[in-house]
Amino acid sequence: HIFLLSGLLLIIALCGAQDVSTPDGGMVSIPAGPFDMGDPQGLDGHSIPVHTVDTDGFYMDRTEITVQSVAQVFQWASDHHLLSFRGYEVMNANGSPQVLLVLSNWPCGLQFSNGNFLVTGDPQMPCPWITWYGAVAHCFFRTAMENARGSNYGQCIDLDTWSCDFSKTGYRLPTEAEWEKATRGGLVGHHFPWTSAGADPIPHIDGSKANYIDSGDPFDNAPSPAGYYARTFAPINRVNLHGLQDMAGNLWEWCWDWFDGYSYGRFSTNGWPANPAGPSASPWASRVMRGGSWFTIPQHLRCAYRSYMEPDMATPFTGFRAVRREPLTTDGSRGRTPSMLPSVRFPKGMEGE
């Protein structure tokens, strides 16, 4: 009976109503409440100690953002004179200019010619070669595009300051806490987004479950189409219980937060503020990446594993997915707003820029 109930809940999660206003298979609802964030096995020194974090509910893209979505959203931005171009680099024309996307490099799958973004391969491939700024700009443009078509989302992103108003309902990057909560899918203490308890993560992963380096999957050592591992019904030990896809492997996913390898020791394990949005600076001048990729070892695909990269860098193994706040509740409240963690004194020689 337990297995039948679990299977029923999984089917509901995978077949739930999709938000037709979003390009990549809709969004799924991640419920409000606390979860244990961090690495209970202590395999990653940047992911300890485990601590309890409480978040509000939010919506998250079911898959990583595809080249089709980037072509659609960036085409709208270009048509509205919001983009500029410098060789193969796509930049924002307004606000503080940054490189958003690098075209033509394998495996980008996008070109820009005669005023049009062209998809040159499988449109369902996740979009790599996008910087943190590009992911944030995509959220800004996507909100504006959907509002122009009848939605009424509050714009989160300011491209002048590259800041976010978390009280708004528009698209944005997930905070690191939101990302880990979503990928765990309600499982506690497991290595991966599927059932994978125990001291050693390796017996719980292979090329049938995720795309990582030398995994033997059909797209070995290259990206796989978004949602590939859930296109057919899979056993419960292969699927995120919220119905999210590719949370482990394929492309690293940008998060909003600045990276600080010491931030988990900032508070007592049960004294964290609700909805943390990361520190105000990074000793590495880098933003958080999560989930691992087709170019990383399987240990990097663990739910707790933290990585980082400078926000102006683009690679063939980095992409993203977006979130947005749940709308007003029946009592008219919006719940809590993600808050920046207090600044800390970095060790000598590791001060942020």
Side-chain angles (χ1 to χ4, degrees):
H1 296 297
I2 293 175
F3 288 108
L4 288 174
L5 178 59
S6 299
L8 178 60
L9 291 174
L10 178 61
I11 293 171
I12 292 172
L14 294 177
C15 300
Q18 296 184 354
D19 185 333
V20 296
S21 69
T22 58
D24 297 315
M27 304 187 95
V28 300
S29 178
I30 310 300
F35 78 104
D36 288 341
M37 183 175 183
D39 186 357
Q41 291 81 17
L43 301 182
D44 176 21
H46 288 157
S47 302
I48 54 177
V50 174
H51 50 286
T52 300
V53 174
D54 196 2
T55 78
D56 294 334
F58 57 94
Y59 297 110
M60 176 176 266
D61 284 321
R62 188 178 302 273
T63 70
E64 293 167 331
I65 294 295
T66 63
V67 292
Q68 180 181 34
S69 172
V70 171
Q72 174 189 1
V73 172
F74 277 28
Q75 184 66 56
W76 182 91
S78 178
D79 292 344
H80 289 79
H81 312 292
L82 300 176
L83 296 179
S84 63
F85 299 85
R86 185 176 64 189
Y88 292 120
E89 296 177 336
V90 182
M91 306 178 69
N92 53 301
N94 298 324
S96 175
Q98 298 286 346
V99 174
L100 310 180
L101 179 69
V102 179
L103 300 173
S104 81
N105 290 337
W106 179 90
C108 180
L110 279 175
Q111 294 180 359
F112 186 79
S113 178
N114 298 319
N116 294 301
F117 281 92
L118 306 174
V119 176
T120 58
D122 185 343
Q124 291 307 307
M125 282 291 182
C127 186
W129 291 106
I130 194 160
T131 67
W132 180 89
Y133 294 107
V136 171
H138 183 279
C139 293
F140 176 90
F141 299 145
R142 182 177 172 187
T143 299
M145 179 185 76
E146 294 192 14
N147 283 346
R149 297 174 178 177
S151 296
N152 188 31
Y153 302 135
Q155 182 62 262
C156 297
I157 306 300
D158 185 331
L159 297 185
D160 286 313
T161 59
W162 295 97
S163 59
C164 180
D165 182 347
F166 290 96
S167 69
K168 304 296 186 181
T169 55
Y171 295 101
R172 58 174 173 83
L173 291 182
T175 65
E176 187 176 20
E178 288 171 336
W179 193 96
E180 185 167 331
K181 178 179 184 175
T183 198
R184 289 193 176 279
L187 296 176
V188 178
H190 292 253
H191 292 284
F192 300 107
W194 50 83
T195 53
S196 48
D200 185 2
I202 299 304
H204 299 287
I205 187 168
D206 57 49
S208 71
K209 298 178 182 177
N211 185 352
Y212 55 93
I213 195 166
D214 296 332
S215 63
D217 67 88
F219 303 88
D220 205 16
N221 298 336
S224 49
Y228 168 78
Y229 289 91
R231 288 187 175 179
T232 58
F233 185 81
I236 195 168
N237 70 334
R238 298 185 189 182
V239 182
N240 170 279
L241 295 183
H242 290 315
L244 297 167
Q245 299 168 9
D246 300 328
M247 294 297 283
N250 212 15
L251 296 184
W252 286 105
E253 298 184 12
W254 287 114
C255 293
W256 177 264
D257 307 35
W258 287 107
F259 178 78
D260 176 0
Y262 309 103
S263 62
Y264 282 19
R266 193 76 48 79
F267 303 101
S268 64
T269 56
N270 61 355
W272 275 66
N275 296 312
S280 58
S282 167
W284 291 267
S286 294
R287 298 282 182 168
V288 170
M289 301 189 306
R290 287 300 204 105
S293 79
W294 62 267
F295 196 61
T296 56
I297 60 176
Q299 291 89 336
H300 292 179
L301 277 61
R302 299 174 65 244
C303 296
Y305 189 82
R306 308 174 71 203
S307 190
Y308 58 95
M309 192 166 65
E310 292 89 340
D312 58 353
M313 290 190 65
T315 76
F317 42 80
T318 308
F320 74 106
R321 71 183 75 207
V323 299
R324 70 172 195 253
R325 291 195 66 148
E326 289 188 337
L328 290 170
T329 60
T330 54
D331 64 0
S333 65
R334 291 188 182 275
R336 299 169 299 246
T337 299
S339 56
M340 301 300 289
L341 300 181
S343 299
V344 295
R345 180 172 295 176
F346 298 125
K348 186 176 181 180
M350 301 187 69
E351 294 84 357
E353 295 183 352

